[in-house]
Amino acid sequence: SSGINAEYCETKNNEFMLCRGETDDPRKCLKEGAEVTSCSLEFFKKVKATCAAEFMSYTACLEKSSGEMHFTECRKTQAAMDNCIQKNLDLERPHYGYHCLPKIHETDRPKPEEEMPGWMNSDKARKLGELPKDFPKTYKAWGSPGVHNSNFGNI
């Protein structure tokens, strides 16, 4: 059911992941994260209301079939659960590889503005357009010290 849940909540999850990628700060994406959680909760409440027996038999099969929870032993119970979800919720399990396909996510959320640290506005941090005229231009130290030259990094 994780594949069906992922497709059911795909837009909310993509919005959350876009926010995380753009801001690099999970605190700024708490609203989007809460929407993903509520969407998954809504999905599993619907599954519980309509397909609880099939879902529980599938999870029991996964837990008891092997220590690694391999799917191969539980394809029959998975098919029963998938059929129940398709019949009652009109949701179909996405094809294998669906979540690996590239997709474009459209959003209404404005792109976050990049905040420059205060030190970047300082004159000391300003990049030079060119080197000063009196800058020493000796190239003796180029290379690895002691390998390509014998001065060991000294100019």
Side-chain angles (χ1 to χ4, degrees):
S1 68
S2 63
I4 302 170
N5 178 28
E7 187 175 7
Y8 182 76
C9 299
E10 184 173 21
T11 54
K12 290 179 177 25
N13 191 43
N14 288 349
E15 187 70 29
F16 173 69
M17 295 306 290
L18 180 66
C19 179
R20 283 284 308 266
E22 286 181 343
T23 62
D24 286 330
D25 187 359
R27 296 170 297 178
K28 293 182 180 176
C29 304
L30 291 176
K31 183 182 93 128
E32 290 84 356
E35 288 176 4
V36 172
T37 302
S38 66
C39 181
S40 292
L41 188 59
E42 174 189 325
F43 170 76
F44 283 111
K45 281 181 180 179
K46 287 180 178 182
V47 169
K48 183 179 178 184
T50 58
C51 302
E54 292 85 349
F55 180 75
M56 292 309 294
S57 68
Y58 179 54
T59 56
C61 179
L62 287 174
E63 289 171 354
K64 295 175 184 175
S65 64
S66 69
E68 294 81 26
M69 294 178 69
H70 290 300
F71 295 104
T72 54
E73 302 294 323
C74 304
R75 293 299 183 197
K76 289 180 183 174
T77 54
Q78 179 186 2
M81 184 191 68
D82 288 349
N83 290 335
C84 180
I85 290 174
Q86 185 173 11
K87 184 178 109 188
N88 295 315
L89 302 178
D90 199 30
L91 297 172
E92 193 172 331
R93 178 176 293 276
H95 63 82
Y96 185 76
Y98 170 81
H99 298 291
C100 297
L101 297 173
K103 298 173 188 78
I104 296 174
H105 177 72
E106 300 291 336
T107 183
D108 296 333
R109 191 175 44 79
K111 186 174 180 179
E113 294 182 24
E114 283 190 47
E115 298 174 18
M116 291 188 356
W119 61 266
M120 291 185 77
N121 294 329
S122 168
D123 285 340
K124 293 179 182 177
R126 184 177 46 86
K127 288 185 178 179
L128 297 174
E130 59 184 43
L131 291 174
K133 300 285 185 221
D134 61 343
F135 190 81
K137 295 183 180 178
T138 58
Y139 302 103
K140 283 194 279 184
W142 283 27
S144 302
V147 177
H148 299 295
N149 55 30
S150 60
N151 63 7
F152 295 99
N154 298 324
I155 296 179

